[in-house]
Amino acid sequence: MKVINSKLHAALDYLTVIFLLAAPELFDLPEMTAMLTYVLACVHFLLTIVTNFEFGLIKWLPFRVHGYIELVVAFALVFASFYLGSTDGVFSRNFYLIFAAIILIVFILTDFRHSKAD
């Protein structure tokens, strides 16, 4: 059941960026994990502002493609979590595993077929 529309997804994306920017300080993340988290925040911000949905600023990237990119990122974060777990510890691994799961859940629950910005 697709309960997240494009407008809610856009809002969640901006909240995700804020969370990612705050997470290194909030959770006292180790250096490598913090650096990856800041990079991920920047990438997610860029992805969000170029997407063709309600809160996208440039409206270049189709919303459906945005979703596929997030799906790929979710799986990449699973792999990154195990790398970070081996270098920065169990908390870093779990942080990224949970974050990947949340991105995957949002992907599954989002209706990427329609965007009110179209």
Side-chain angles (χ1 to χ4, degrees):
M1 184 156 150
K2 307 289 184 177
V3 296
I4 299 175
N5 63 24
S6 59
K7 188 173 186 176
L8 177 57
H9 188 101
L12 290 172
D13 278 347
Y14 283 110
L15 289 173
T16 298
V17 170
I18 292 167
F19 170 76
L20 289 170
L21 290 172
E25 291 296 319
L26 284 174
F27 300 110
D28 194 27
L29 296 177
E31 185 177 351
M32 186 172 293
T33 303
M35 175 106 74
L36 180 61
T37 303
Y38 288 132
V39 169
L40 186 58
C42 292
V43 169
H44 204 83
F45 179 70
L46 290 173
L47 177 64
T48 302
I49 65 171
V50 301
T51 298
N52 186 18
F53 58 8
E54 286 79 1
F55 300 132
L57 302 177
I58 298 173
K59 299 185 188 300
W60 168 76
L61 187 71
F63 184 42
R64 185 181 302 253
V65 175
H66 171 108
Y68 291 133
I69 292 170
E70 285 185 344
L71 179 62
V72 169
V73 167
F75 286 106
L77 291 177
V78 171
F79 292 108
S81 73
F82 288 102
Y83 172 75
L84 291 171
S86 69
T87 62
D88 283 355
V90 174
F91 185 83
S92 294
R93 183 199 66 208
N94 293 343
F95 178 83
Y96 269 87
L97 281 176
I98 292 167
F99 190 66
I102 291 169
I103 291 176
L104 185 59
I105 290 166
V106 169
F107 173 83
I108 291 167
L109 295 177
T110 298
D111 180 3
F112 288 103
R113 295 174 296 158
H114 301 94
S115 172
K116 297 216 172 30
D118 290 337

mmCIF file of all heavy atoms in Angstrom, residues 12 14 30 32 36-39 41 46-47 49 56 58 66 76 86 95 107-108:
data_model
loop_
_atom_site.group_PDB
_atom_site.id
_atom_site.type_symbol
_atom_site.label_atom_id
_atom_site.label_comp_id
_atom_site.label_asym_id
_atom_site.label_seq_id
_atom_site.Cartn_x
_atom_site.Cartn_y
_atom_site.Cartn_z
ATOM 1 N N LEU A 12 9.871 14.614 3.782
ATOM 2 C CA LEU A 12 10.718 13.634 4.462
ATOM 3 C C LEU A 12 12.171 13.732 3.992
ATOM 4 O O LEU A 12 13.100 13.559 4.786
ATOM 5 C CB LEU A 12 10.184 12.216 4.240
ATOM 6 C CG LEU A 12 8.874 11.866 4.935
ATOM 7 C CD1 LEU A 12 8.376 10.502 4.469
ATOM 8 C CD2 LEU A 12 9.029 11.903 6.441
ATOM 9 N N TYR A 14 13.780 16.471 2.985
ATOM 10 C CA TYR A 14 14.422 17.617 3.641
ATOM 11 C C TYR A 14 14.671 17.338 5.120
ATOM 12 O O TYR A 14 15.716 17.714 5.663
ATOM 13 C CB TYR A 14 13.602 18.892 3.448
ATOM 14 C CG TYR A 14 13.769 19.468 2.055
ATOM 15 C CD1 TYR A 14 12.728 19.421 1.139
ATOM 16 C CD2 TYR A 14 14.967 20.047 1.657
ATOM 17 C CE1 TYR A 14 12.880 19.941 -0.135
ATOM 18 C CE2 TYR A 14 15.129 20.564 0.383
ATOM 19 C CZ TYR A 14 14.079 20.514 -0.513
ATOM 20 O OH TYR A 14 14.243 21.022 -1.775
ATOM 21 N N PRO A 30 31.948 8.404 15.102
ATOM 22 C CA PRO A 30 33.383 8.401 14.811
ATOM 23 C C PRO A 30 33.683 9.160 13.520
ATOM 24 O O PRO A 30 32.806 9.345 12.668
ATOM 25 C CB PRO A 30 33.713 6.914 14.662
ATOM 26 C CG PRO A 30 32.627 6.201 15.384
ATOM 27 C CD PRO A 30 31.404 7.055 15.227
ATOM 28 N N MET A 32 35.210 8.752 10.515
ATOM 29 C CA MET A 32 34.879 8.275 9.167
ATOM 30 C C MET A 32 33.362 8.199 8.976
ATOM 31 O O MET A 32 32.848 8.579 7.928
ATOM 32 C CB MET A 32 35.510 6.918 8.880
ATOM 33 C CG MET A 32 35.287 6.484 7.439
ATOM 34 S SD MET A 32 36.180 5.009 6.988
ATOM 35 C CE MET A 32 37.854 5.604 7.083
ATOM 36 N N LEU A 36 31.199 10.395 6.203
ATOM 37 C CA LEU A 36 30.272 9.784 5.253
ATOM 38 C C LEU A 36 28.858 10.328 5.449
ATOM 39 O O LEU A 36 28.135 10.556 4.478
ATOM 40 C CB LEU A 36 30.277 8.259 5.391
ATOM 41 C CG LEU A 36 29.339 7.516 4.444
ATOM 42 C CD1 LEU A 36 29.713 7.772 2.983
ATOM 43 C CD2 LEU A 36 29.348 6.032 4.728
ATOM 44 N N THR A 37 28.478 10.584 6.664
ATOM 45 C CA THR A 37 27.143 11.100 6.957
ATOM 46 C C THR A 37 26.977 12.512 6.388
ATOM 47 O O THR A 37 25.939 12.831 5.805
ATOM 48 C CB THR A 37 26.882 11.077 8.479
ATOM 49 O OG1 THR A 37 27.062 9.732 8.940
ATOM 50 C CG2 THR A 37 25.473 11.538 8.804
ATOM 51 N N TYR A 38 28.000 13.353 6.530
ATOM 52 C CA TYR A 38 27.942 14.699 5.938
ATOM 53 C C TYR A 38 27.886 14.628 4.411
ATOM 54 O O TYR A 38 27.122 15.364 3.774
ATOM 55 C CB TYR A 38 29.131 15.544 6.376
ATOM 56 C CG TYR A 38 29.084 15.983 7.814
ATOM 57 C CD1 TYR A 38 30.195 15.827 8.641
ATOM 58 C CD2 TYR A 38 27.946 16.568 8.362
ATOM 59 C CE1 TYR A 38 30.165 16.236 9.971
ATOM 60 C CE2 TYR A 38 27.907 16.978 9.691
ATOM 61 C CZ TYR A 38 29.018 16.814 10.484
ATOM 62 O OH TYR A 38 28.985 17.221 11.795
ATOM 63 N N VAL A 39 28.664 13.730 3.812
ATOM 64 C CA VAL A 39 28.634 13.564 2.352
ATOM 65 C C VAL A 39 27.253 13.086 1.914
ATOM 66 O O VAL A 39 26.681 13.601 0.939
ATOM 67 C CB VAL A 39 29.737 12.589 1.887
ATOM 68 C CG1 VAL A 39 29.546 12.188 0.428
ATOM 69 C CG2 VAL A 39 31.109 13.199 2.107
ATOM 70 N N ALA A 41 24.445 13.591 3.416
ATOM 71 C CA ALA A 41 23.517 14.724 3.567
ATOM 72 C C ALA A 41 23.588 15.632 2.346
ATOM 73 O O ALA A 41 22.545 16.053 1.813
ATOM 74 C CB ALA A 41 23.829 15.511 4.834
ATOM 75 N N LEU A 46 21.190 17.525 -2.744
ATOM 76 C CA LEU A 46 21.254 17.771 -4.186
ATOM 77 C C LEU A 46 20.200 16.965 -4.930
ATOM 78 O O LEU A 46 19.532 17.483 -5.837
ATOM 79 C CB LEU A 46 22.646 17.450 -4.720
ATOM 80 C CG LEU A 46 23.751 18.407 -4.297
ATOM 81 C CD1 LEU A 46 25.116 17.891 -4.749
ATOM 82 C CD2 LEU A 46 23.496 19.797 -4.840
ATOM 83 N N LEU A 47 20.050 15.699 -4.569
ATOM 84 C CA LEU A 47 19.029 14.857 -5.193
ATOM 85 C C LEU A 47 17.633 15.454 -4.992
ATOM 86 O O LEU A 47 16.823 15.491 -5.920
ATOM 87 C CB LEU A 47 19.089 13.443 -4.613
ATOM 88 C CG LEU A 47 18.037 12.449 -5.109
ATOM 89 C CD1 LEU A 47 18.213 12.178 -6.596
ATOM 90 C CD2 LEU A 47 18.118 11.159 -4.310
ATOM 91 N N ILE A 49 16.755 18.683 -4.306
ATOM 92 C CA ILE A 49 16.477 19.973 -4.957
ATOM 93 C C ILE A 49 16.340 19.851 -6.471
ATOM 94 O O ILE A 49 15.685 20.698 -7.085
ATOM 95 C CB ILE A 49 17.498 21.068 -4.592
ATOM 96 C CG1 ILE A 49 18.890 20.731 -5.103
ATOM 97 C CG2 ILE A 49 17.484 21.343 -3.109
ATOM 98 C CD1 ILE A 49 19.885 21.880 -4.952
ATOM 99 N N GLY A 56 10.876 20.413 -4.864
ATOM 100 C CA GLY A 56 12.096 20.453 -5.658
ATOM 101 C C GLY A 56 12.311 21.868 -6.176
ATOM 102 O O GLY A 56 11.350 22.548 -6.557
ATOM 103 N N ILE A 58 14.763 22.792 -8.654
ATOM 104 C CA ILE A 58 15.148 22.840 -10.066
ATOM 105 C C ILE A 58 14.204 22.008 -10.931
ATOM 106 O O ILE A 58 14.008 22.317 -12.097
ATOM 107 C CB ILE A 58 16.624 22.402 -10.231
ATOM 108 C CG1 ILE A 58 17.515 23.387 -9.465
ATOM 109 C CG2 ILE A 58 17.025 22.311 -11.689
ATOM 110 C CD1 ILE A 58 18.965 23.015 -9.391
ATOM 111 N N HIS A 66 14.230 9.503 -9.049
ATOM 112 C CA HIS A 66 14.625 9.841 -7.675
ATOM 113 C C HIS A 66 14.432 8.624 -6.772
ATOM 114 O O HIS A 66 15.315 8.285 -5.976
ATOM 115 C CB HIS A 66 13.767 11.024 -7.194
ATOM 116 C CG HIS A 66 13.891 11.353 -5.755
ATOM 117 N ND1 HIS A 66 14.539 12.488 -5.314
ATOM 118 C CD2 HIS A 66 13.432 10.742 -4.632
ATOM 119 C CE1 HIS A 66 14.483 12.538 -3.989
ATOM 120 N NE2 HIS A 66 13.809 11.491 -3.552
ATOM 121 N N ALA A 76 23.383 0.323 -1.050
ATOM 122 C CA ALA A 76 24.784 0.732 -0.876
ATOM 123 C C ALA A 76 25.087 0.997 0.594
ATOM 124 O O ALA A 76 26.187 0.698 1.079
ATOM 125 C CB ALA A 76 25.073 1.967 -1.717
ATOM 126 N N SER A 86 33.519 -2.353 10.596
ATOM 127 C CA SER A 86 34.862 -2.896 10.782
ATOM 128 C C SER A 86 35.884 -1.811 11.114
ATOM 129 O O SER A 86 36.904 -2.096 11.720
ATOM 130 C CB SER A 86 35.308 -3.670 9.537
ATOM 131 O OG SER A 86 35.513 -2.792 8.455
ATOM 132 N N PHE A 95 23.932 2.103 12.974
ATOM 133 C CA PHE A 95 23.381 3.393 12.531
ATOM 134 C C PHE A 95 23.047 3.337 11.043
ATOM 135 O O PHE A 95 21.957 3.704 10.615
ATOM 136 C CB PHE A 95 24.378 4.518 12.824
ATOM 137 C CG PHE A 95 23.928 5.875 12.358
ATOM 138 C CD1 PHE A 95 23.077 6.636 13.147
ATOM 139 C CD2 PHE A 95 24.349 6.386 11.145
ATOM 140 C CE1 PHE A 95 22.653 7.888 12.722
ATOM 141 C CE2 PHE A 95 23.935 7.634 10.708
ATOM 142 C CZ PHE A 95 23.081 8.392 11.504
ATOM 143 N N PHE A 107 10.858 3.967 0.503
ATOM 144 C CA PHE A 107 10.747 3.624 -0.919
ATOM 145 C C PHE A 107 9.529 2.739 -1.165
ATOM 146 O O PHE A 107 8.742 2.987 -2.084
ATOM 147 C CB PHE A 107 12.022 2.916 -1.401
ATOM 148 C CG PHE A 107 11.902 2.401 -2.803
ATOM 149 C CD1 PHE A 107 12.129 3.231 -3.881
ATOM 150 C CD2 PHE A 107 11.545 1.077 -3.049
ATOM 151 C CE1 PHE A 107 12.003 2.764 -5.181
ATOM 152 C CE2 PHE A 107 11.421 0.605 -4.341
ATOM 153 C CZ PHE A 107 11.651 1.448 -5.411
ATOM 154 N N ILE A 108 9.373 1.714 -0.361
ATOM 155 C CA ILE A 108 8.265 0.770 -0.531
ATOM 156 C C ILE A 108 6.908 1.463 -0.352
ATOM 157 O O ILE A 108 5.956 1.154 -1.059
ATOM 158 C CB ILE A 108 8.418 -0.416 0.445
ATOM 159 C CG1 ILE A 108 9.606 -1.280 0.031
ATOM 160 C CG2 ILE A 108 7.145 -1.242 0.531
ATOM 161 C CD1 ILE A 108 10.046 -2.296 1.071
#
